[in-house]
Amino acid sequence: MCGNAASGYLCNRHKDKLAARLRELPTLYREVIECLVPRRTGWADIVASHAAAGPRSPINEDVIDTVNWARATEVIHSWRADVRRVRWPHREGTPPARLDDDCRWLAQELDWIVMQYPAAGDLAREVAELNSAVRSVVGDPEPRPQRIGYCVALVGEGIVCGAVISRMPGETRLTCGWCGTVYGPEDYLTLRHFQPGAA
């Protein structure tokens, strides 16, 4: 469960992240296939090597140890089966496990999951872990928030908000998560000027 949720089990930000991760997961796992081919060595590497020649695996085993399509399919399918069991207990069976179909189905049921499914937080956490693992292999880490400073808005008579303001790469409008003040590019110099310790 998300501590920022006003109603339901996840806040809008975590719901949006979960939806994006469910959409991206099948594509990222398809990209892993390209990483399974081990790096080739050039002629100079072969000549310079004193190691004994021997059979090499035709695939990069480090990738298989980190990311496994069958495991991802199994995890996502188990979530689909559980959501289906809770939402429609009278329905029999679940369609066969397919990562694309299961991710799409969960994304379509996200409104209900967020509002009615007690394990929504666990689902979001497991999908995030799968997403992080596969991104570590394909070399596309998830963007992280950048800390900008503190909110300088007055929230009472002489009281400054002071909450941390952060942004995702590429965002130009900053919103304080506590008081809701929005800072646009035209406000950046003022925001910087009033930061604690700013000269």
Side-chain angles (χ1 to χ4, degrees), residues 104-137:
R104 189 177 317 108
W105 188 89
L106 286 167
Q108 289 171 347
E109 297 295 325
L110 217 45
D111 288 335
W112 182 87
I113 290 170
V114 166
M115 296 306 296
Q116 304 290 326
Y117 188 55
D122 293 331
L123 167 62
R125 182 185 46 75
E126 270 201 84
V127 170
E129 287 170 2
L130 288 172
N131 187 283
S132 179
V134 74
R135 283 179 176 276
S136 73
V137 170

mmCIF file of all heavy atoms in Angstrom, residues 104-137:
data_model
loop_
_atom_site.group_PDB
_atom_site.id
_atom_site.type_symbol
_atom_site.label_atom_id
_atom_site.label_comp_id
_atom_site.label_asym_id
_atom_site.label_seq_id
_atom_site.Cartn_x
_atom_site.Cartn_y
_atom_site.Cartn_z
ATOM 1 N N ARG A 104 -0.856 -6.436 -20.587
ATOM 2 C CA ARG A 104 -1.927 -5.613 -21.153
ATOM 3 C C ARG A 104 -3.200 -5.739 -20.311
ATOM 4 O O ARG A 104 -3.862 -4.754 -20.012
ATOM 5 C CB ARG A 104 -2.194 -6.033 -22.602
ATOM 6 C CG ARG A 104 -3.128 -5.099 -23.360
ATOM 7 C CD ARG A 104 -3.320 -5.503 -24.822
ATOM 8 N NE ARG A 104 -2.095 -5.894 -25.485
ATOM 9 C CZ ARG A 104 -1.776 -7.145 -25.824
ATOM 10 N NH1 ARG A 104 -2.610 -8.140 -25.575
ATOM 11 N NH2 ARG A 104 -0.645 -7.414 -26.427
ATOM 12 N N TRP A 105 -3.533 -6.962 -19.904
ATOM 13 C CA TRP A 105 -4.742 -7.186 -19.115
ATOM 14 C C TRP A 105 -4.645 -6.475 -17.765
ATOM 15 O O TRP A 105 -5.594 -5.823 -17.333
ATOM 16 C CB TRP A 105 -4.955 -8.687 -18.915
ATOM 17 C CG TRP A 105 -6.257 -9.032 -18.278
ATOM 18 C CD1 TRP A 105 -7.448 -9.259 -18.916
ATOM 19 C CD2 TRP A 105 -6.520 -9.165 -16.872
ATOM 20 N NE1 TRP A 105 -8.431 -9.532 -17.998
ATOM 21 C CE2 TRP A 105 -7.897 -9.474 -16.723
ATOM 22 C CE3 TRP A 105 -5.756 -9.052 -15.735
ATOM 23 C CZ2 TRP A 105 -8.499 -9.676 -15.491
ATOM 24 C CZ3 TRP A 105 -6.341 -9.242 -14.497
ATOM 25 C CH2 TRP A 105 -7.700 -9.549 -14.390
ATOM 26 N N LEU A 106 -3.506 -6.594 -17.093
ATOM 27 C CA LEU A 106 -3.330 -5.924 -15.799
ATOM 28 C C LEU A 106 -3.419 -4.406 -15.955
ATOM 29 O O LEU A 106 -4.011 -3.721 -15.114
ATOM 30 C CB LEU A 106 -1.992 -6.322 -15.165
ATOM 31 C CG LEU A 106 -1.939 -7.727 -14.580
ATOM 32 C CD1 LEU A 106 -0.495 -8.119 -14.263
ATOM 33 C CD2 LEU A 106 -2.810 -7.837 -13.331
ATOM 34 N N ALA A 107 -2.839 -3.879 -17.032
ATOM 35 C CA ALA A 107 -2.897 -2.429 -17.271
ATOM 36 C C ALA A 107 -4.342 -1.975 -17.478
ATOM 37 O O ALA A 107 -4.738 -0.901 -17.002
ATOM 38 C CB ALA A 107 -2.034 -2.059 -18.469
ATOM 39 N N GLN A 108 -5.149 -2.794 -18.152
ATOM 40 C CA GLN A 108 -6.555 -2.443 -18.369
ATOM 41 C C GLN A 108 -7.362 -2.494 -17.081
ATOM 42 O O GLN A 108 -8.352 -1.790 -16.941
ATOM 43 C CB GLN A 108 -7.180 -3.390 -19.406
ATOM 44 C CG GLN A 108 -6.672 -3.164 -20.801
ATOM 45 C CD GLN A 108 -7.135 -4.244 -21.769
ATOM 46 O OE1 GLN A 108 -7.647 -5.293 -21.377
ATOM 47 N NE2 GLN A 108 -6.950 -3.995 -23.056
ATOM 48 N N GLU A 109 -6.946 -3.306 -16.136
ATOM 49 C CA GLU A 109 -7.656 -3.452 -14.865
ATOM 50 C C GLU A 109 -7.095 -2.545 -13.764
ATOM 51 O O GLU A 109 -7.510 -2.648 -12.609
ATOM 52 C CB GLU A 109 -7.574 -4.916 -14.388
ATOM 53 C CG GLU A 109 -8.250 -5.897 -15.321
ATOM 54 C CD GLU A 109 -9.753 -5.679 -15.413
ATOM 55 O OE1 GLU A 109 -10.366 -5.299 -14.402
ATOM 56 O OE2 GLU A 109 -10.298 -5.873 -16.508
ATOM 57 N N LEU A 110 -6.200 -1.644 -14.129
ATOM 58 C CA LEU A 110 -5.480 -0.856 -13.135
ATOM 59 C C LEU A 110 -6.382 0.018 -12.270
ATOM 60 O O LEU A 110 -6.135 0.159 -11.068
ATOM 61 C CB LEU A 110 -4.419 0.009 -13.823
ATOM 62 C CG LEU A 110 -3.115 0.177 -13.080
ATOM 63 C CD1 LEU A 110 -2.597 -1.124 -12.506
ATOM 64 C CD2 LEU A 110 -2.066 0.793 -13.976
ATOM 65 N N ASP A 111 -7.421 0.599 -12.834
ATOM 66 C CA ASP A 111 -8.323 1.429 -12.015
ATOM 67 C C ASP A 111 -8.935 0.600 -10.886
ATOM 68 O O ASP A 111 -8.986 1.048 -9.735
ATOM 69 C CB ASP A 111 -9.432 2.052 -12.871
ATOM 70 C CG ASP A 111 -8.914 3.160 -13.772
ATOM 71 O OD1 ASP A 111 -7.876 3.769 -13.421
ATOM 72 O OD2 ASP A 111 -9.524 3.406 -14.830
ATOM 73 N N TRP A 112 -9.396 -0.594 -11.208
ATOM 74 C CA TRP A 112 -9.976 -1.458 -10.174
ATOM 75 C C TRP A 112 -8.889 -1.901 -9.186
ATOM 76 O O TRP A 112 -9.117 -1.907 -7.980
ATOM 77 C CB TRP A 112 -10.651 -2.681 -10.801
ATOM 78 C CG TRP A 112 -11.282 -3.548 -9.757
ATOM 79 C CD1 TRP A 112 -12.538 -3.435 -9.234
ATOM 80 C CD2 TRP A 112 -10.666 -4.643 -9.065
ATOM 81 N NE1 TRP A 112 -12.735 -4.393 -8.265
ATOM 82 C CE2 TRP A 112 -11.598 -5.150 -8.146
ATOM 83 C CE3 TRP A 112 -9.421 -5.238 -9.134
ATOM 84 C CZ2 TRP A 112 -11.334 -6.224 -7.307
ATOM 85 C CZ3 TRP A 112 -9.143 -6.314 -8.302
ATOM 86 C CH2 TRP A 112 -10.100 -6.794 -7.398
ATOM 87 N N ILE A 113 -7.719 -2.283 -9.706
ATOM 88 C CA ILE A 113 -6.625 -2.747 -8.849
ATOM 89 C C ILE A 113 -6.268 -1.681 -7.817
ATOM 90 O O ILE A 113 -6.135 -1.971 -6.632
ATOM 91 C CB ILE A 113 -5.394 -3.133 -9.704
ATOM 92 C CG1 ILE A 113 -5.680 -4.417 -10.492
ATOM 93 C CG2 ILE A 113 -4.145 -3.282 -8.847
ATOM 94 C CD1 ILE A 113 -4.634 -4.757 -11.544
ATOM 95 N N VAL A 114 -6.127 -0.443 -8.264
ATOM 96 C CA VAL A 114 -5.734 0.648 -7.366
ATOM 97 C C VAL A 114 -6.782 0.881 -6.281
ATOM 98 O O VAL A 114 -6.440 1.124 -5.123
ATOM 99 C CB VAL A 114 -5.493 1.943 -8.177
ATOM 100 C CG1 VAL A 114 -5.416 3.153 -7.285
ATOM 101 C CG2 VAL A 114 -4.215 1.806 -8.994
ATOM 102 N N MET A 115 -8.046 0.784 -6.626
ATOM 103 C CA MET A 115 -9.111 1.102 -5.673
ATOM 104 C C MET A 115 -9.552 -0.090 -4.817
ATOM 105 O O MET A 115 -9.945 0.097 -3.669
ATOM 106 C CB MET A 115 -10.336 1.652 -6.420
ATOM 107 C CG MET A 115 -10.081 2.970 -7.130
ATOM 108 S SD MET A 115 -9.428 4.260 -6.054
ATOM 109 C CE MET A 115 -10.768 4.502 -4.934
ATOM 110 N N GLN A 116 -9.472 -1.318 -5.341
ATOM 111 C CA GLN A 116 -10.101 -2.451 -4.670
ATOM 112 C C GLN A 116 -9.172 -3.609 -4.286
ATOM 113 O O GLN A 116 -9.554 -4.459 -3.496
ATOM 114 C CB GLN A 116 -11.209 -3.036 -5.574
ATOM 115 C CG GLN A 116 -12.253 -2.042 -6.004
ATOM 116 C CD GLN A 116 -13.130 -1.607 -4.846
ATOM 117 O OE1 GLN A 116 -13.410 -2.384 -3.945
ATOM 118 N NE2 GLN A 116 -13.552 -0.352 -4.855
ATOM 119 N N TYR A 117 -7.963 -3.654 -4.848
ATOM 120 C CA TYR A 117 -7.108 -4.828 -4.673
ATOM 121 C C TYR A 117 -6.103 -4.584 -3.553
ATOM 122 O O TYR A 117 -5.183 -3.783 -3.693
ATOM 123 C CB TYR A 117 -6.405 -5.121 -5.994
ATOM 124 C CG TYR A 117 -5.622 -6.411 -6.042
ATOM 125 C CD1 TYR A 117 -6.217 -7.626 -5.747
ATOM 126 C CD2 TYR A 117 -4.285 -6.401 -6.418
ATOM 127 C CE1 TYR A 117 -5.495 -8.806 -5.819
ATOM 128 C CE2 TYR A 117 -3.560 -7.575 -6.497
ATOM 129 C CZ TYR A 117 -4.179 -8.781 -6.199
ATOM 130 O OH TYR A 117 -3.464 -9.946 -6.272
ATOM 131 N N PRO A 118 -6.254 -5.268 -2.413
ATOM 132 C CA PRO A 118 -5.370 -5.013 -1.270
ATOM 133 C C PRO A 118 -3.882 -5.250 -1.554
ATOM 134 O O PRO A 118 -3.028 -4.640 -0.920
ATOM 135 C CB PRO A 118 -5.871 -5.990 -0.203
ATOM 136 C CG PRO A 118 -7.261 -6.338 -0.607
ATOM 137 C CD PRO A 118 -7.292 -6.249 -2.104
ATOM 138 N N ALA A 119 -3.552 -6.113 -2.503
ATOM 139 C CA ALA A 119 -2.145 -6.411 -2.799
ATOM 140 C C ALA A 119 -1.583 -5.529 -3.904
ATOM 141 O O ALA A 119 -0.530 -5.838 -4.485
ATOM 142 C CB ALA A 119 -1.996 -7.882 -3.177
ATOM 143 N N ALA A 120 -2.224 -4.394 -4.183
ATOM 144 C CA ALA A 120 -1.767 -3.502 -5.261
ATOM 145 C C ALA A 120 -0.330 -3.044 -5.044
ATOM 146 O O ALA A 120 0.457 -2.959 -5.989
ATOM 147 C CB ALA A 120 -2.702 -2.298 -5.380
ATOM 148 N N GLY A 121 0.040 -2.755 -3.809
ATOM 149 C CA GLY A 121 1.408 -2.320 -3.512
ATOM 150 C C GLY A 121 2.432 -3.400 -3.806
ATOM 151 O O GLY A 121 3.508 -3.125 -4.344
ATOM 152 N N ASP A 122 2.103 -4.652 -3.473
ATOM 153 C CA ASP A 122 3.009 -5.769 -3.758
ATOM 154 C C ASP A 122 3.146 -5.984 -5.263
ATOM 155 O O ASP A 122 4.242 -6.274 -5.753
ATOM 156 C CB ASP A 122 2.517 -7.049 -3.090
ATOM 157 C CG ASP A 122 2.588 -6.969 -1.571
ATOM 158 O OD1 ASP A 122 3.459 -6.238 -1.055
ATOM 159 O OD2 ASP A 122 1.764 -7.623 -0.906
ATOM 160 N N LEU A 123 2.038 -5.856 -5.984
ATOM 161 C CA LEU A 123 2.075 -5.964 -7.442
ATOM 162 C C LEU A 123 2.997 -4.895 -8.012
ATOM 163 O O LEU A 123 3.873 -5.187 -8.829
ATOM 164 C CB LEU A 123 0.661 -5.820 -8.019
ATOM 165 C CG LEU A 123 0.550 -5.597 -9.534
ATOM 166 C CD1 LEU A 123 1.113 -6.774 -10.314
ATOM 167 C CD2 LEU A 123 -0.898 -5.339 -9.930
ATOM 168 N N ALA A 124 2.828 -3.652 -7.574
ATOM 169 C CA ALA A 124 3.655 -2.551 -8.070
ATOM 170 C C ALA A 124 5.129 -2.797 -7.758
ATOM 171 O O ALA A 124 6.002 -2.556 -8.603
ATOM 172 C CB ALA A 124 3.194 -1.232 -7.463
ATOM 173 N N ARG A 125 5.428 -3.301 -6.566
ATOM 174 C CA ARG A 125 6.813 -3.561 -6.173
ATOM 175 C C ARG A 125 7.440 -4.652 -7.036
ATOM 176 O O ARG A 125 8.555 -4.513 -7.523
ATOM 177 C CB ARG A 125 6.861 -3.963 -4.695
ATOM 178 C CG ARG A 125 8.270 -4.210 -4.172
ATOM 179 C CD ARG A 125 8.280 -4.720 -2.733
ATOM 180 N NE ARG A 125 7.333 -5.785 -2.459
ATOM 181 C CZ ARG A 125 7.490 -7.054 -2.847
ATOM 182 N NH1 ARG A 125 8.553 -7.412 -3.528
ATOM 183 N NH2 ARG A 125 6.575 -7.961 -2.550
ATOM 184 N N GLU A 126 6.710 -5.751 -7.273
ATOM 185 C CA GLU A 126 7.269 -6.845 -8.075
ATOM 186 C C GLU A 126 7.467 -6.447 -9.527
ATOM 187 O O GLU A 126 8.466 -6.820 -10.145
ATOM 188 C CB GLU A 126 6.385 -8.096 -7.983
ATOM 189 C CG GLU A 126 6.807 -8.986 -6.843
ATOM 190 C CD GLU A 126 6.323 -10.413 -7.003
ATOM 191 O OE1 GLU A 126 7.005 -11.195 -7.701
ATOM 192 O OE2 GLU A 126 5.289 -10.723 -6.417
ATOM 193 N N VAL A 127 6.526 -5.683 -10.072
ATOM 194 C CA VAL A 127 6.683 -5.219 -11.456
ATOM 195 C C VAL A 127 7.883 -4.280 -11.540
ATOM 196 O O VAL A 127 8.663 -4.336 -12.494
ATOM 197 C CB VAL A 127 5.385 -4.548 -11.966
ATOM 198 C CG1 VAL A 127 5.606 -3.853 -13.304
ATOM 199 C CG2 VAL A 127 4.272 -5.579 -12.096
ATOM 200 N N ALA A 128 8.070 -3.421 -10.526
ATOM 201 C CA ALA A 128 9.228 -2.517 -10.499
ATOM 202 C C ALA A 128 10.535 -3.312 -10.444
ATOM 203 O O ALA A 128 11.514 -2.954 -11.105
ATOM 204 C CB ALA A 128 9.130 -1.554 -9.317
ATOM 205 N N GLU A 129 10.565 -4.392 -9.663
ATOM 206 C CA GLU A 129 11.775 -5.222 -9.563
ATOM 207 C C GLU A 129 12.091 -5.901 -10.896
ATOM 208 O O GLU A 129 13.247 -5.943 -11.319
ATOM 209 C CB GLU A 129 11.609 -6.274 -8.466
ATOM 210 C CG GLU A 129 11.670 -5.693 -7.063
ATOM 211 C CD GLU A 129 11.266 -6.689 -5.979
ATOM 212 O OE1 GLU A 129 10.968 -7.861 -6.303
ATOM 213 O OE2 GLU A 129 11.241 -6.282 -4.797
ATOM 214 N N LEU A 130 11.063 -6.439 -11.563
ATOM 215 C CA LEU A 130 11.278 -7.052 -12.879
ATOM 216 C C LEU A 130 11.787 -6.011 -13.867
ATOM 217 O O LEU A 130 12.720 -6.265 -14.637
ATOM 218 C CB LEU A 130 9.973 -7.668 -13.404
ATOM 219 C CG LEU A 130 9.477 -8.935 -12.718
ATOM 220 C CD1 LEU A 130 8.083 -9.287 -13.222
ATOM 221 C CD2 LEU A 130 10.442 -10.087 -12.940
ATOM 222 N N ASN A 131 11.185 -4.833 -13.829
ATOM 223 C CA ASN A 131 11.564 -3.750 -14.726
ATOM 224 C C ASN A 131 13.010 -3.332 -14.490
ATOM 225 O O ASN A 131 13.792 -3.170 -15.427
ATOM 226 C CB ASN A 131 10.605 -2.572 -14.523
ATOM 227 C CG ASN A 131 10.803 -1.474 -15.525
ATOM 228 O OD1 ASN A 131 11.745 -0.700 -15.420
ATOM 229 N ND2 ASN A 131 9.909 -1.402 -16.497
ATOM 230 N N SER A 132 13.384 -3.194 -13.235
ATOM 231 C CA SER A 132 14.745 -2.781 -12.883
ATOM 232 C C SER A 132 15.773 -3.823 -13.323
ATOM 233 O O SER A 132 16.838 -3.484 -13.856
ATOM 234 C CB SER A 132 14.827 -2.552 -11.379
ATOM 235 O OG SER A 132 16.107 -2.180 -10.995
ATOM 236 N N ALA A 133 15.454 -5.099 -13.105
ATOM 237 C CA ALA A 133 16.384 -6.169 -13.488
ATOM 238 C C ALA A 133 16.608 -6.196 -14.995
ATOM 239 O O ALA A 133 17.747 -6.296 -15.463
ATOM 240 C CB ALA A 133 15.858 -7.519 -13.009
ATOM 241 N N VAL A 134 15.542 -6.091 -15.761
ATOM 242 C CA VAL A 134 15.687 -6.167 -17.216
ATOM 243 C C VAL A 134 16.383 -4.920 -17.748
ATOM 244 O O VAL A 134 17.200 -4.985 -18.665
ATOM 245 C CB VAL A 134 14.328 -6.424 -17.908
ATOM 246 C CG1 VAL A 134 13.445 -5.207 -17.908
ATOM 247 C CG2 VAL A 134 14.539 -6.911 -19.340
ATOM 248 N N ARG A 135 16.126 -3.767 -17.149
ATOM 249 C CA ARG A 135 16.799 -2.538 -17.582
ATOM 250 C C ARG A 135 18.298 -2.596 -17.283
ATOM 251 O O ARG A 135 19.096 -2.023 -18.014
ATOM 252 C CB ARG A 135 16.171 -1.315 -16.925
ATOM 253 C CG ARG A 135 14.851 -0.914 -17.547
ATOM 254 C CD ARG A 135 14.259 0.296 -16.831
ATOM 255 N NE ARG A 135 13.045 0.758 -17.470
ATOM 256 C CZ ARG A 135 13.015 1.575 -18.516
ATOM 257 N NH1 ARG A 135 14.130 2.048 -19.024
ATOM 258 N NH2 ARG A 135 11.867 1.943 -19.031
ATOM 259 N N SER A 136 18.689 -3.298 -16.229
ATOM 260 C CA SER A 136 20.115 -3.411 -15.914
ATOM 261 C C SER A 136 20.852 -4.202 -16.987
ATOM 262 O O SER A 136 22.040 -4.003 -17.212
ATOM 263 C CB SER A 136 20.312 -4.065 -14.545
ATOM 264 O OG SER A 136 20.036 -5.448 -14.598
ATOM 265 N N VAL A 137 20.142 -5.079 -17.688
ATOM 266 C CA VAL A 137 20.764 -5.882 -18.737
ATOM 267 C C VAL A 137 20.798 -5.129 -20.060
ATOM 268 O O VAL A 137 21.810 -5.118 -20.748
ATOM 269 C CB VAL A 137 20.019 -7.234 -18.911
ATOM 270 C CG1 VAL A 137 20.497 -7.972 -20.138
ATOM 271 C CG2 VAL A 137 20.209 -8.081 -17.668
#
